[in-house]
Amino acid sequence: MKITLKNAFSKGEFVYREDGLLSEPVELTSLAALKRFLDVVHVKQCLLRPFFEHADYPLVESRELLPSFEADLWEYKHLPGFSMAAFERPLNYFQEVFQFDILHPVLDTASVAEGASCPLESQVIARNVQAMQTRLPKAFQESFRQRFGRFDTSVLDYYPALMPFLLAMDRAQVFALDSFGHFHLGGVYASFPSDLDSEIKRFGMRIGKFDVGDNEMYERNRLFVYQYLMELYGFPIVSERRTSSALFARRLHKMGERFMIRVLGQSDRTITTMIGEGDSRPYPRVEKLALVRVDADQEEALRAIDEAGYFLDRERRVVILRVSYRQHKFNPDNVRQDRALSVESQEVIHPVTGQVLGDLNIIKDASNMFLRLNDITRGEYTGRIIFKRNEIVENTDTDEKRLKFLYAWLSKHQRRIIGYSDEFFANVIKVLDNYLLSPDNYEAFGHLHELYQEVWAKYSYIQQARKVRYLEDIQDREYRGERIGYRRMLAEAVQLLHGLKFEIVSYFDTLVSSVIAIGENMLNDRYLLRTYIEKRDDELTPGGLEIKRNYGKLVSLVDEFRAIQRTRKVAA
């Protein structure tokens, strides 16, 4: 079946009629049900409609959905954008912590009883129409009045037909329960509070990146804290619409609300949803919906999608993809401390039935990463990246562009490279060394010395960080997937640190601090101290004596790293 806008989601839970309205009345009483409804409406109206109307619709590259998220290349002003909030409770207009224009359901007897709206149906409808009409651009006002002048625009049955007008309106939509426990469109033109300065400073203080009155520490770590905080909610450092949505979701979650915040950016072409379920989770759940082209070399995924009939456009390999994410608490001693978010699941949505196809790996495929790296070093990669947030670089036809692409690639995938298998990393090393250390490139790199050194520093950091990651595993008495005892823990730690100290010619303070912290944790293990270190030599077995000797070596190595750190700080 050829997919068109008309037959999209025509066999799903919420089916459209010819006039754009839904074929059955909509009565939704839970956030989960509202989300299923809005998924259908928003995907159809905000992703599929522009996809079918614009031959050059900018599909989302799979890497754009992979944390850490990159800054937007540019804004597509002809594409839709919106934001919205939904509350699993009735609205309390004066008590709400944000501003919006309220809409009243005609049959909401609670509103009538409180005198907040006129009990006459026609007058309630007129007030709602007036509230929405005044917030529309003038070009839309008359057509809106003619189309909806006699309808209760707060009822969800009309929401799909309202979308073209809501998308022309500034600011956010609001959903809430009415007095009967059903969701309705409860407000428009909402402004989400965005206390960005205070949130960044509070969060930075909590994770130990800021200190009161320390301007140098604040300047050094501000961008890290800002980026980490935003990524927890699914965004890079980005536009006001998405920033305010993220911070409002943060505020509502702290208040224990059951809510859903959703936002579509004209630049990212991605519907991002943050869901707070009023539970003990430290952060709201995050997921994204986008139209993505599956890479041609992902043969297994392409075969599964094709056999199940899940392509939106088979020839162009386009699918509707939903990605769910898992947040991570900040850990200053973890070598991947910048990892705020990771991919939890990926689902392809059927464009007709709305059913999902899971167990796929479209955006997090190691082979794709490696092939792309190969293409970059060979100068065969075509695409765009943003170099250091302020320069758009297209294609890899010169060594300067290749180095900039490499820097962006290593920055994007840094924490994945640190965590992936030895086999994958060995292939990465082979490709990078063949390019960065090739005598044929010495002359070109000589003219690009500063850029070359920046790429090499990023590469060196990843190499050292992988060793520190192994040290983290050793601390937990695991090594390369194998459970180990204290005897081998100390032996492996000593061997690893002995080799690592000779690589500190490329010094990275965060890695050295992690090494010291992990080493100290090992040395302060109470069972280790009580069972081996605090006992006399004549009370120990040969294995116990070996543990004691390696413990002494580890003490010396940790002291050496402390000395290196002190020397570097004095020199700085």
Side-chain angles (χ1 to χ4, degrees):
M1 178 194 296
K2 180 176 175 60
I3 308 301
T4 64
L5 185 63
K6 185 176 179 180
N7 65 21
F9 299 115
S10 59
K11 297 180 181 179
E13 184 179 1
F14 305 99
V15 180
Y16 284 76
R17 297 191 320 226
E18 290 291 332
D19 59 2
L21 300 179
L22 294 164
S23 58
E24 298 290 337
V26 181
E27 294 184 352
L28 308 176
T29 59
S30 69
L31 270 179
L34 178 68
K35 181 181 177 297
R36 293 198 304 273
F37 169 71
L38 293 178
D39 281 353
V40 171
V41 176
H42 290 158
V43 168
K44 183 163 185 173
Q45 298 291 343
C46 304
L47 299 183
L48 299 190
R49 181 177 293 281
F51 173 75
F52 287 116
E53 289 179 349
H54 301 282
D56 59 347
Y57 179 85
L59 294 165
V60 174
E61 290 189 38
S62 57
R63 65 180 178 83
E64 294 180 61
L65 299 177
L66 194 60
S68 57
F69 301 112
E70 300 166 359
D72 299 320
L73 288 170
W74 45 64
E75 189 171 20
Y76 302 91
K77 294 186 181 295
H78 63 290
L79 297 182
F82 73 91
S83 54
M84 54 141 284
F87 301 87
E88 200 174 59
R89 59 168 175 79
L91 293 170
N92 189 340
Y93 201 17
F94 182 76
Q95 297 296 330
E96 300 300 339
V97 294
F98 66 109
Q99 288 296 307
F100 61 99
D101 294 344
I102 194 166
L103 304 179
H104 296 285
V106 170
L107 299 179
D108 196 336
T109 55
S111 295
V112 172
E114 293 169 5
S117 62
C118 177
L120 298 176
E121 179 177 326
S122 60
Q123 293 189 13
V124 177
I125 290 174
R127 285 185 59 182
N128 287 345
V129 169
Q130 179 68 18
M132 296 185 70
Q133 186 176 356
T134 57
R135 297 305 187 183
L136 284 166
K138 286 200 175 294
F140 289 83
Q141 290 184 5
E142 182 58 26
S143 57
F144 172 79
R145 188 187 62 78
Q146 291 180 4
R147 177 73 172 84
F148 293 101
R150 296 182 179 181
F151 293 102
D152 181 7
T153 50
S154 71
V155 177
L156 291 186
D157 300 39
Y158 300 112
Y159 182 69
L162 279 170
M163 278 304 294
F165 299 99
L166 292 171
L167 291 173
M169 191 180 297
D170 287 336
R171 306 192 186 179
Q173 312 156 26
V174 183
F175 295 86
L177 296 178
D178 61 19
S179 59
F180 297 98
H182 297 136
F183 274 101
H184 71 288
L185 181 62
V188 293
Y189 210 68
S191 297
F192 297 154
S194 177
D195 190 7
L196 182 61
D197 176 67
S198 296
E199 285 295 337
I200 288 177
K201 288 174 180 173
R202 277 195 294 265
F203 185 69
M205 294 280 287
R206 183 159 65 82
I207 65 175
K209 288 293 184 179
F210 299 157
D211 204 358
V212 176
D214 192 331
N215 292 324
E216 290 183 2
M217 191 177 186
Y218 177 70
E219 182 178 356
R220 187 167 61 248
N221 295 322
R222 188 187 73 90
L223 279 178
F224 174 90
V225 173
Y226 191 180
Q227 181 171 317
Y228 191 98
L229 180 64
M230 288 300 297
E231 190 170 308
L232 283 171
Y233 298 88
F235 300 117
I237 297 174
V238 78
S239 65
E240 179 60 29
R241 172 187 282 159
R242 282 172 282 168
T243 298
S244 61
S245 297
L247 294 180
F248 191 42
R250 179 175 177 81
R251 180 172 181 175
L252 294 175
H253 190 71
K254 287 180 178 179
M255 294 166 62
E257 290 270 16
R258 291 181 60 82
F259 70 91
M260 179 170 66
I261 301 287
R262 173 165 282 184
V263 58
L264 168 65
Q266 289 173 293
S267 46
D268 68 347
R269 299 96 65 214
T270 301
I271 297 171
T272 302
T273 308
M274 293 154 277
I275 304 167
E277 298 173 325
D279 54 15
S280 59
R281 290 171 59 101
Y283 304 104
R285 289 194 294 114
V286 175
E287 70 173 44
K288 289 178 177 284
L289 283 161
L291 303 187
V292 174
R293 179 187 285 115
V294 183
D295 288 338
D297 51 26
Q298 291 190 276
E299 296 177 1
E300 188 176 335
L302 289 169
R303 185 167 52 251
I305 294 166
D306 194 22
E307 289 174 356
Y310 274 67
F311 276 117
L312 175 65
D313 185 326
R314 186 174 184 273
E315 185 176 336
R316 297 166 64 187
R317 307 186 307 278
V318 181
V319 297
I320 307 167
L321 183 65
R322 176 191 287 126
V323 183
S324 298
Y325 300 89
R326 178 190 298 113
Q327 288 106 334
H328 302 279
K329 288 186 176 181
F330 179 79
N331 180 357
D333 296 327
N334 191 316
V335 70
R336 289 177 288 177
Q337 63 172 244
D338 64 333
R339 186 179 66 156
L341 213 62
S342 61
V343 174
E344 186 172 52
S345 65
Q346 304 172 49
E347 297 174 330
V348 174
I349 300 175
H350 196 287
V352 177
T353 66
Q355 294 178 323
V356 298
L357 181 65
D359 297 325
L360 295 173
N361 189 1
I362 291 174
I363 70 169
K364 197 182 176 185
D365 191 278
S367 61
N368 284 355
M369 288 171 55
F370 179 67
L371 290 171
R372 191 165 289 119
L373 174 64
N374 245 324
D375 289 344
I376 291 170
T377 58
R378 291 174 180 174
E380 298 171 359
Y381 184 74
T382 56
R384 299 188 186 104
I385 53 103
I386 293 185
F387 178 66
K388 294 189 175 181
R389 299 180 180 274
N390 58 18
E391 180 186 348
I392 296 175
V393 183
E394 298 196 46
N395 304 324
T396 52
D397 51 4
T398 68
D399 282 298
E400 181 179 9
K401 289 182 178 180
R402 284 175 217 168
L403 288 174
K404 288 180 177 179
F405 262 81
L406 274 182
Y407 184 90
W409 187 90
L410 290 169
S411 299
K412 170 79 174 178
H413 299 295
Q414 174 175 295
R415 58 200 190 213
R416 274 173 287 279
I417 301 170
I418 292 169
Y420 276 6
S421 68
D422 290 341
E423 180 184 1
F424 173 80
F425 189 61
N427 288 330
V428 169
I429 288 176
K430 184 177 180 181
V431 172
L432 288 176
D433 284 355
N434 282 344
Y435 178 65
L436 295 175
L437 298 178
S438 171
D440 295 339
N441 296 326
Y442 284 172
E443 183 178 351
F445 293 156
H447 297 297
L448 302 165
H449 177 74
E450 186 175 344
L451 179 58
Y452 178 77
Q453 289 302 319
E454 287 181 314
V455 173
W456 192 259
K458 185 71 70 174
Y459 181 28
S460 298
Y461 180 91
I462 291 171
Q463 289 179 302
Q464 291 185 29
R466 276 185 66 87
K467 294 190 176 182
V468 179
R469 194 208 91 200
Y470 285 133
L471 191 63
E472 291 173 350
D473 294 341
I474 291 168
Q475 174 190 214
D476 297 327
R477 288 188 291 128
E478 287 187 8
Y479 187 63
R480 301 181 189 272
E482 180 185 352
R483 192 69 181 163
I484 60 176
Y486 281 99
R487 182 177 178 178
R488 190 173 172 197
M489 177 191 82
L490 289 172
E492 295 288 358
V494 166
Q495 182 178 350
L496 190 150
L497 290 184
H498 184 74
L500 184 59
K501 73 177 182 179
F502 293 107
E503 297 179 20
I504 300 300
V505 62
S506 298
Y507 177 82
F508 303 100
D509 187 61
T510 54
L511 295 182
V512 172
S513 296
S514 294
V515 166
I516 294 169
I518 296 167
E520 287 175 344
N521 286 339
M522 287 188 194
L523 296 174
N524 292 327
D525 186 294
R526 286 307 307 160
Y527 177 83
L528 183 65
L529 292 171
R530 184 175 64 253
T531 309
Y532 301 103
I533 310 309
E534 294 172 354
K535 288 188 174 181
R536 298 193 311 273
D537 290 356
D538 58 8
E539 297 178 295
L540 297 173
T541 63
L545 287 171
E546 182 184 347
I547 288 174
K548 200 169 185 178
R549 284 194 298 273
N550 279 328
Y551 183 91
K553 293 179 182 178
L554 184 59
V555 170
S556 298
L557 284 165
V558 172
D559 285 342
E560 285 186 55
F561 276 90
R562 285 200 194 96
I564 291 169
Q565 188 180 57
R566 283 195 301 270
T567 303
R568 290 283 182 165
K569 285 183 177 179
V570 169

